[in-house]
Amino acid sequence: LTGSQAAQSALMTVFNDVESSSTDGIRAIVAIGGVKNPSNDVINALWDLANNASIETARAELPGTAALALGALARNLKSDKKNDYDSLLVGLFNGAQGASTIQQRAVFLHAIGNTADQVPSTRDNLVTFLDDPSPMVRSAAADTIGRLGVQTVGEQLFQSYNRENNDVVRGSLIQALSSWENPPSKEVESVRNNIHTEVDENVRLNM
């Protein structure tokens, strides 16, 4: 039912209403995220919400949910409305680069994963976030690359893994690398050898 303009307007009213509960707002956003032909008003409202990471505590989860919904909408638009899709993808990358909080930057990266975009240039742009000062951002970038496939950037992820000191990020990197089709035997042997000296349990499990 969310495909109709009336339903989209009604749902938008719910997640924009500061008097509505956070749960209802999240439900409305998730429903909107499944729309194949979202209105410009809906997209703009989601952007306004996603960029408002300083929102009051009672509705603090809504900006992140809005960003993730934008990623899902981008996936829906990818085949039918190329220009709208490109605009959404650029906006998500801009959010990952410049959102006001580290947590929201990471959420924007996860939202890029929702686009299911396997174009090599998208993975190349994500690789740049592996050098970010924030471990949360680096981990989110690795997780997203893993979702989109590492075929063209496997060696770059492996280099990041070798120099990464944060256990959580290293776990995300090695988990992403598990989707690498036909990795070079040198890298496989290196991981096999490092399992014996890895001290973090989660990293070791992913290895």
Side-chain angles (χ1 to χ4, degrees), residues 27-199:
R27 287 170 174 161
I29 293 170
V30 171
I32 284 287
V35 173
K36 290 187 177 180
N37 294 296
S39 69
N40 289 332
D41 287 343
V42 162
I43 292 176
N44 291 334
L46 287 174
W47 275 123
D48 289 343
L49 192 54
N51 289 320
N52 188 14
S54 60
I55 199 167
E56 63 270 22
T57 304
R59 290 160 54 87
E61 294 181 3
L62 267 63
T65 307
L68 294 171
L70 285 165
L73 288 176
R75 181 182 64 237
N76 294 340
L77 292 171
K78 185 164 48 177
S79 58
D80 298 329
K81 297 182 177 181
K82 183 62 176 174
N83 291 336
D84 288 349
Y85 172 72
D86 289 343
S87 176
L88 277 174
L89 185 62
V90 169
L92 293 174
F93 269 110
N94 288 340
Q97 188 68 48
S100 59
T101 68
I102 291 175
Q103 182 176 4
Q104 192 66 355
R105 290 181 62 210
V107 170
F108 274 115
L109 287 169
H110 288 299
I112 293 170
N114 283 353
T115 68
D117 190 328
Q118 297 187 337
V119 176
S121 60
T122 298
R123 289 193 290 265
D124 291 339
N125 290 332
L126 286 166
V127 165
T128 63
F129 290 91
L130 297 177
D131 294 322
D132 194 89
S134 166
M136 181 181 291
V137 170
R138 296 198 303 275
S139 179
D143 290 339
T144 299
I145 294 171
R147 291 175 63 187
L148 300 181
V150 305
Q151 284 75 5
T152 59
V153 293
E155 292 187 5
Q156 291 163 279
L157 259 70
F158 195 77
Q159 291 170 5
S160 294
Y161 162 75
N162 281 332
R163 64 174 180 264
E164 180 60 59
N165 293 320
N166 183 279
D167 290 341
V168 173
V169 181
R170 283 172 45 248
S172 294
L173 285 164
I174 204 68
Q175 186 172 23
L177 285 165
S178 68
S179 66
W180 194 0
E181 296 179 5
N182 302 315
S185 57
K186 178 180 65 176
E187 278 76 358
V188 174
E189 186 63 24
S190 176
V191 171
R192 182 179 293 118
N193 292 335
N194 288 340
I195 290 175
H196 302 291
T197 57
E198 174 57 54
V199 295

Side-chain angles (χ1 to χ4, degrees), residues 3-21:
S4 72
Q5 292 301 310
Q8 291 185 45
S9 295
L11 290 167
M12 185 168 55
T13 299
V14 172
F15 67 71
N16 278 333
D17 183 5
V18 296
E19 298 300 323
S20 67
S21 69

